[in-house]
Amino acid sequence: MATTQSAHHVPENLPTSIRHFIGGQFVDSVDGTTFDVLDPVSNQTYVTAAAGKQADIDLAVAAAKDAFDNGPWPRMLPRARARVLNRIADAVEAQDARLAELECFDTGLPITQALGQAQRAAENFRFFADLIVAQADDTYKVPGRQVNYVNRKPVGVAGLITPWNTPFMLESWKLAPALASGCTVVLKPAEFTPLSASLWAEIFREAGVPDGVFNLVNGLGEEAGDALVKHPDVPLISFTGETTTGQTIYRNCAANLKGMSMELGGKSPAIVFADADLDAAIDSTLFGVFSLNGERCTAGSRILVERSIYDDFCERYAARARNIVVGDPHDPATEVGALVHPEHYEKVMSYVEIGKGEGRLLAGGGRPPGLEAGNYVAPTVFADVAPSARIFQEEIFGPVVAITPFDTDEEALELANGVKYGLAAYLWTSDLTRAHNFAQAIEAGMVWLNSHNVRDLRTPFGGVKASGLGHEGGYRSIDFYTDQQAVHITLGEVHTARFGASTTRP
Ligand code: NAD
């Protein structure tokens, strides 16, 4: 096991407290309460954040509603909004190193990967800036009778609830299309990682986002998140997080029949056939589950390998996994950093112990030697994992992978589809016909052939089965944050049955 032993890096000028941002002002919670935020290397509290509750959500929603009903944002020309979005992207790019430093400190993500996430956040704003100026809506002609057109309108106040795994990037994934569409927003970031979210307020203000358009309420999911979900003036909720939380939110949205977008958990398979480019498949399946500390919704956390190459694959894969550099997230040599929080560390470690009774341990299996404090887990590889095993079925969300052999294409498909999730799938084969037939049969919202997860922002993003509801990405995100009203124009005479016009009574 390779580990880096550099001293723990603490960024300069950390905030002394993290506050809400409501109606253009940084504010404390109405009841004055706060919660502790830990850094995942020392597990010490480094800052406290305002703990939002119903009263804070009420204020934020009122500010967002006022900005929506009376402010300029929903009424601006797309080009004017796009300019603001591009300025946001410029500002994010200009401070990508600082953003990465803070994100890395708060989440435990390796610094090089945190930098990539900051750059992707900027790209999300640029992408939606381009999309709204190119936006065209449908018109339908009924010759001689009607012309009908779509009047696209922003829905209103969007409630955005995000997880801790790549906080800033995932917030941008919701903020950019919501704002591009002309919605105003209330963001509730994950309580484990509120640091980078607090930077949005200044970025938006300097880019020219009017007060009240962007509102941020920190707090616990069961308090601030729940109040946002149940607020009657919030017509739609975009949520990314665990499947069980999504189910609770789904139930709570029912009372107000809210629009919902749900990006939930995953247990995605990577299927490696004997005819695959094995070197490329090993590189990619290692990156696919161990990048972002394995705290990645689309992680290829189950690897299914054709029997004829199984032993060779396992041996080579495990050797590389044992060589992954684990250590201080801020060290550029680090490949796997510290898991986000001691609670999550305990959960992942409990699966490592479960796995020892369910599979053959080939690498890792606990805390890496030499890293006695902090939420470090050695990249862990289990082979010969049966499909009934918990480590095959359940999302671990850490650097742990299960490898299982298969003999036929049919068996591979059955194994791939044999879990409740359906987010992503990765196929490794040089047989074009097999690749496409397999890809089309697999129960996954997204499939990559001979690649790990490389996003094209125009394509649908989302899962099937327990991995989500609704797809965002490209125009689909704009569709989610807008209503498409049909306006019908009569060109000729309307043929109307003349009720009540009869002069003869029966
Ligand atoms: P989580 O469900 O615990 O929390 C997500 C957010 O929901 C947090 O902001 C939390 O405060 C809030 N929340 C919790 N309970 C709530 C409630 N009752 N009402 C309203 N809000 C509530 O998820 P997490 O642990 O932060 O994130 C990890 C999960 O996210 C994993 O399952 C992962 O697969 C998933 N994820 C999915 C995607 C995707 O695109 N499909 C992307 C990233 C992460």
Side-chain angles (χ1 to χ4, degrees):
M1 166 70 41
T3 54
T4 59
Q5 302 286 340
S6 48
H8 180 34
H9 173 83
V10 178
E12 284 179 12
N13 302 321
L14 283 172
T16 49
S17 65
I18 294 178
R19 307 171 83 193
H20 310 309
F21 186 71
I22 298 177
Q25 305 291 327
F26 286 101
V27 291
D28 293 322
S29 283
V30 170
D31 68 4
T33 54
T34 60
F35 62 93
D36 291 343
V37 185
L38 315 182
D39 90 73
V41 171
S42 74
N43 280 329
Q44 301 297 310
T45 300
Y46 76 87
V47 74
T48 57
K53 309 212 175 52
Q54 176 81 53
D56 308 286
I57 290 290
D58 286 348
L59 290 173
V61 174
K65 184 164 168 23
D66 183 50
F68 188 78
D69 291 344
N70 305 312
W73 190 253
R75 292 158 195 87
M76 277 162 81
L77 291 177
R79 172 63 73 198
R81 269 209 301 272
R83 283 205 181 96
V84 176
L85 299 178
N86 272 317
R87 286 200 290 271
I88 294 168
D90 292 342
V92 170
E93 266 166 10
Q95 54 191 288
D96 61 359
R98 172 68 174 169
L99 264 165
E101 183 191 28
L102 295 179
E103 194 80 313
C104 159
F105 177 72
D106 198 27
T107 63
L109 291 178
I111 184 75
T112 50
Q113 298 169 37
L115 184 63
Q117 296 296 316
Q119 289 159 351
R120 186 39 217 292
E123 183 55 26
N124 283 337
F125 277 92
R126 262 192 227 300
F127 176 82
F128 285 105
D130 290 346
L131 210 60
I132 51 165
V133 289
Q135 171 85 43
D137 283 309
D138 295 329
T139 306
Y140 307 89
K141 186 170 82 170
V142 186
R145 295 188 189 172
Q146 283 181 319
V147 173
N148 306 321
Y149 68 90
V150 171
N151 172 36
R152 188 183 284 274
K153 304 192 274 193
V155 175
V157 178
L160 312 178
I161 303 179
T162 49
W164 46 256
N165 60 321
T166 48
F168 194 78
M169 195 288 285
L170 279 172
E171 289 149 18
S172 76
W173 177 241
K174 298 184 188 303
L175 287 166
L179 295 177
S181 303
C183 288
T184 60
V185 304
V186 177
L187 169 67
K188 207 303 278 174
E191 55 267 42
F192 283 175
T193 54
L195 180 59
S196 57
S198 64
L199 300 181
W200 286 119
E202 288 299 344
I203 291 172
F204 288 156
R205 183 148 56 192
E206 279 171 26
V209 176
D211 287 351
V213 171
F214 167 75
N215 303 276
L216 167 78
V217 177
N218 292 290
L220 307 186
E222 297 73 13
E223 295 178 346
D226 186 64
L228 184 59
V229 165
K230 292 178 178 165
H231 202 293
D233 289 335
V234 178
L236 81 176
I237 295 289
S238 178
F239 170 75
T240 300
E242 279 188 27
T243 298
T244 49
T245 314
Q247 288 169 319
T248 303
I249 292 177
Y250 192 91
R251 280 193 293 275
N252 290 337
C253 282
N256 291 300
L257 288 172
K258 296 194 180 200
M260 279 178 303
S261 171
M262 298 260 160
E263 306 285 5
L264 308 176
K267 190 74 183 178
S268 300
I271 303 115
V272 185
F273 288 95
D275 61 4
D277 174 342
L278 206 54
D279 291 337
I282 287 175
D283 284 347
S284 191
T285 50
L286 283 158
F287 182 82
V289 68
F290 297 122
S291 58
L292 304 179
N293 298 343
E295 298 162 321
R296 178 175 200 144
C297 56
T298 51
S301 51
R302 296 181 294 143
I303 307 181
L304 312 176
V305 184
E306 194 164 359
R307 180 105 42 200
S308 59
I309 56 162
Y310 183 73
D311 290 340
D312 186 28
F313 181 93
C314 288
E315 195 180 313
R316 289 173 60 187
Y317 191 91
R320 288 276 296 277
R322 285 191 287 267
N323 206 33
I324 287 174
V325 180
V326 184
D328 190 275
H330 190 76
D331 188 324
T334 291
E335 293 170 318
V336 170
L339 301 193
V340 67
H341 191 275
E343 270 174 34
H344 184 59
Y345 172 81
E346 291 303 329
K347 175 188 152 182
V348 173
M349 279 301 204
S350 77
Y351 275 107
V352 169
E353 290 311 310
I354 291 167
K356 289 176 184 169
E358 292 185 328
R360 180 162 56 94
L361 181 67
L362 296 184
R367 180 178 277 285
L371 294 170
E372 302 315 327
N375 306 321
Y376 294 107
V377 177
T380 296
V381 181
F382 292 106
D384 310 347
V385 179
S388 56
R390 286 186 62 190
I391 61 164
F392 188 94
Q393 292 290 334
E394 297 173 20
E395 184 182 47
I396 300 173
F397 220 55
V400 182
V401 69
I403 311 183
T404 304
F406 67 86
D407 289 300
T408 63
D409 288 36
E410 292 71 30
E411 191 192 355
L413 187 63
E414 199 178 320
L415 287 168
N417 289 343
V419 299
K420 70 174 181 175
Y421 296 106
L423 191 55
Y426 309 89
L427 288 182
W428 288 88
T429 177
S430 56
D431 179 335
L432 202 61
T433 306
R434 166 195 274 157
H436 288 289
N437 284 323
F438 206 102
Q440 292 178 21
I442 206 159
E443 293 165 357
M446 297 166 285
V447 181
W448 277 269
L449 300 178
N450 297 325
S451 166
H452 51 87
N453 171 348
V454 180
R455 280 279 291 137
D456 171 344
L457 294 182
R458 297 166 301 177
T459 58
F461 185 95
V464 296
K465 295 165 52 179
S467 289
L469 195 69
H471 283 39
E472 296 195 35
Y475 285 111
R476 294 158 208 83
S477 300
I478 301 291
D479 284 348
F480 176 68
Y481 291 104
T482 53
D483 274 333
Q484 296 182 56
Q485 181 188 47
V487 180
H488 305 83
I489 304 155
T490 306
L491 296 177
E493 293 231 336
V494 185
H495 300 284
T496 313
R498 300 192 62 229
F499 279 28
S502 168
T503 51
T504 55
R505 285 178 181 272

